[in-house]
Amino acid sequence: MRAKIILPNFIAVLLLGLTGFFYLNNDLRQHEIQRLKADLLRQPAILNAVEGFRSTTLLENVRLSAQSAIMRQAFAPPEIDKKEDETDEHYEKLVGVAWFEACVQAIKSYEQSWSETGQKKPEFIFLTDRNGVVVARNITPNACPAGKNVAEAVPVVRRALDGFATYDVWSAAGSPFDPKNADPRYCQLINTGLLEMAAAPIWFDEELKGTLVVGLEISNGTTQRKANMLGYDFAVVKDFDVHTLSFKTDTARQSVDSWIDKPEITSIIENSIESQLPSDVFEMQVEGESYLAIAAPQYKTEPEDATVNIVMASMTEATTHLGSLYVLLIIMGIALLGVFAAGIILANHFLAPVVAIEDGLLKVINGAYNYRFDVKSAEVGGLSYRINQLIGVLTGE
């Protein structure tokens, strides 16, 4: 009897609480995911604006430096008089040494200007002549590939030799600088991976004399700064391999690499590269955690150096605040305890008089005809009175 009183209320509260919890949890979670998707769709435009500003700043810096007095002077006609008894060969050697020293000094001066700004030093700085042959560089200035033509391998150099200051994201992979190619015409001037490169022509007396070329490596530090700016994790993918990553663990790199190898993700990245447009938002797993992600082409990347940025947002972090919904379960638990306690109290309140009447009837049945019921209850007190009357009629009292 008690179960019949308690159980329906207990089940009703349980079902109502669970239904409310799961409905709110699912509705708010879906709302948060939709908000996250909408925010991710805005990230490529933000990233493009940031990288555009960064590239413009770098390019303007290189362009102005290429027209500075010290750079132009490095390509000025040599102020060395040839002695009467001096051979042409010796004189040309002296001119070459003087030119080389002037170029090295120009590079050192430019490198010093970077140090004064507190910015990360370029991975390399070098000067070429009007044919694209390297004449000096900041790292081991007189080492290979000084004397090597790099215009064929480096697009920004080619365009600078046409008279245009140019920015590009470039990789040595697949070029003559790639160690795998083992091209004897080149050596390891540029083998640091993915680079932001800017090149500008150097003019003297309205004649193009050479180019200034600067390369900045796209490193994990660069990626981490972009991730901090965006508020999301960030990866740079080149040739379907992770080049840099904002995650700090090797297992995260392996996880992203393995996910990128999946045909459906590879297809998404390929379509983004071909269309030069951001992809739709897609799901991926990083170290067992669910992420929403979007792929977008790297700003100003040549087709042969196709690179994509992948912005990743953790769905776990985005829905962490929904944990407060579990307070509903706690409240439901308290309500269930209340229903149980109230059910016991109510059951006892209603059942005690009924049990007393049942016990009294048993006594009458067993011959105690003088027994009279004295049950004081608003609910069944009247019933006990009528039973007393019935006994009186039957016994003639």
Side-chain angles (χ1 to χ4, degrees):
M1 185 67 176
R2 286 183 175 84
K4 290 181 179 179
I5 295 173
I6 297 170
L7 197 57
N9 296 312
F10 189 90
I11 292 174
V13 172
L14 180 63
L15 291 177
L16 184 63
L18 290 177
T19 301
F21 170 77
F22 285 113
Y23 174 79
L24 284 175
N25 186 61
N26 183 67
D27 185 65
L28 292 175
R29 188 175 296 275
Q30 291 302 317
H31 177 78
E32 192 62 28
I33 289 174
Q34 291 303 318
R35 182 201 64 79
L36 199 58
K37 286 183 177 180
D39 199 38
L40 277 176
L41 289 170
R42 290 192 289 266
Q43 298 309 307
I46 295 172
L47 194 58
N48 204 50
V50 170
E51 291 181 339
F53 175 78
R54 178 183 173 88
S55 67
T56 301
T57 302
L58 174 62
L59 185 59
E60 188 65 8
N61 177 295
V62 173
R63 188 185 68 79
L64 292 175
S65 297
Q67 294 308 306
S68 65
I70 191 168
M71 287 291 178
R72 295 170 65 246
Q73 193 59 37
F75 287 85
E79 297 180 357
I80 300 176
D81 294 328
K82 182 179 179 182
K83 298 178 181 178
E84 291 184 3
D85 57 346
E86 190 173 23
T87 64
D88 290 341
E89 182 180 357
H90 185 263
Y91 176 74
E92 289 175 1
K93 184 177 181 180
L94 289 177
V95 170
V97 169
W99 183 27
F100 171 74
E101 290 177 349
C103 289
V104 170
Q105 186 56 45
I107 290 175
K108 286 182 177 179
S109 176
Y110 179 63
E111 192 172 30
Q112 180 62 31
S113 69
W114 273 86
S115 300
E116 292 171 356
T117 63
Q119 300 179 65
K120 178 187 174 183
K121 191 175 75 170
E123 200 66 32
F124 59 79
I125 306 167
F126 62 82
L127 296 175
T128 75
D129 64 11
R130 71 182 69 189
N131 298 312
V133 174
V134 177
V135 293
R137 61 183 179 135
N138 62 328
I139 303 172
T140 55
N142 59 346
C144 177
K148 303 293 182 180
N149 188 307
V150 298
E152 176 187 345
V154 185
V156 292
V157 176
R158 291 199 301 269
R159 291 194 288 270
L161 290 172
D162 290 333
F164 303 101
T166 312
Y167 170 91
D168 187 17
V169 176
W170 181 84
S171 171
S175 77
F177 289 107
D178 191 337
K180 297 178 183 178
N181 290 341
D183 192 324
R185 295 176 301 158
Y186 297 90
C187 65
Q188 304 311 309
L189 168 66
I190 309 168
N191 61 354
T192 54
L194 199 61
L195 296 156
E196 293 180 279
M197 294 186 68
I202 299 174
W203 301 85
F204 189 86
D205 288 342
E206 299 184 356
E207 183 180 353
L208 195 152
K209 293 292 187 178
T211 66
L212 167 63
V213 185
V214 177
L216 299 175
E217 184 180 11
I218 298 178
S219 62
N220 287 340
T222 305
T223 300
Q224 185 62 60
R225 285 191 292 274
K226 289 181 180 178
N228 293 339
M229 182 270 298
L230 295 174
Y232 297 115
D233 286 301
F234 189 77
V236 179
V237 176
K238 172 76 171 67
D239 295 330
F240 300 99
D241 285 319
V242 175
H243 177 73
T244 62
L245 191 69
S246 63
F247 292 95
K248 296 181 180 179
T249 62
D250 290 335
T251 53
R253 178 181 289 272
Q254 294 167 3
S255 183
V256 175
D257 263 330
S258 64
W259 199 262
I260 288 171
D261 287 339
K262 294 180 180 296
E264 60 271 24
I265 306 301
T266 299
S267 177
I268 289 172
I269 293 175
E270 286 177 342
N271 290 337
S272 179
I273 291 172
E274 290 175 4
S275 66
Q276 287 298 292
L277 294 171
S279 71
D280 293 328
V281 176
F282 57 92
E283 291 189 24
M284 61 187 298
Q285 297 282 328
V286 181
E287 296 183 300
E289 187 175 335
S290 295
Y291 281 78
L292 290 177
I294 188 168
Q298 176 79 29
Y299 181 80
K300 285 195 174 181
T301 307
E302 289 295 307
E304 62 267 26
D305 297 312
T307 305
V308 295
N309 297 319
I310 298 181
V311 183
M312 296 165 284
S314 168
M315 286 195 281
T316 302
E317 289 183 8
T319 56
T320 298
H321 64 284
L322 297 182
S324 59
L325 286 176
Y326 285 93
V327 173
L328 287 176
L329 294 181
I330 297 173
I331 294 173
M332 184 186 70
I334 295 172
L336 288 173
L337 289 175
V339 167
F340 185 79
I344 293 292
I345 294 171
L346 289 172
N348 289 336
H349 176 75
F350 285 109
L351 290 179
V354 174
V355 171
I357 292 174
E358 184 181 2
D359 290 342
L361 285 173
L362 184 61
K363 291 177 181 179
V364 173
I365 291 169
N366 290 330
Y369 300 119
N370 293 328
Y371 181 81
R372 295 294 182 269
F373 294 89
D374 185 20
V375 178
K376 293 179 173 58
S377 169
E379 290 79 14
V380 295
L383 176 62
S384 66
Y385 177 73
R386 297 303 178 194
I387 293 174
N388 286 336
Q389 284 184 319
L390 177 61
I391 294 172
V393 170
L394 293 175
T395 57
E397 296 180 3

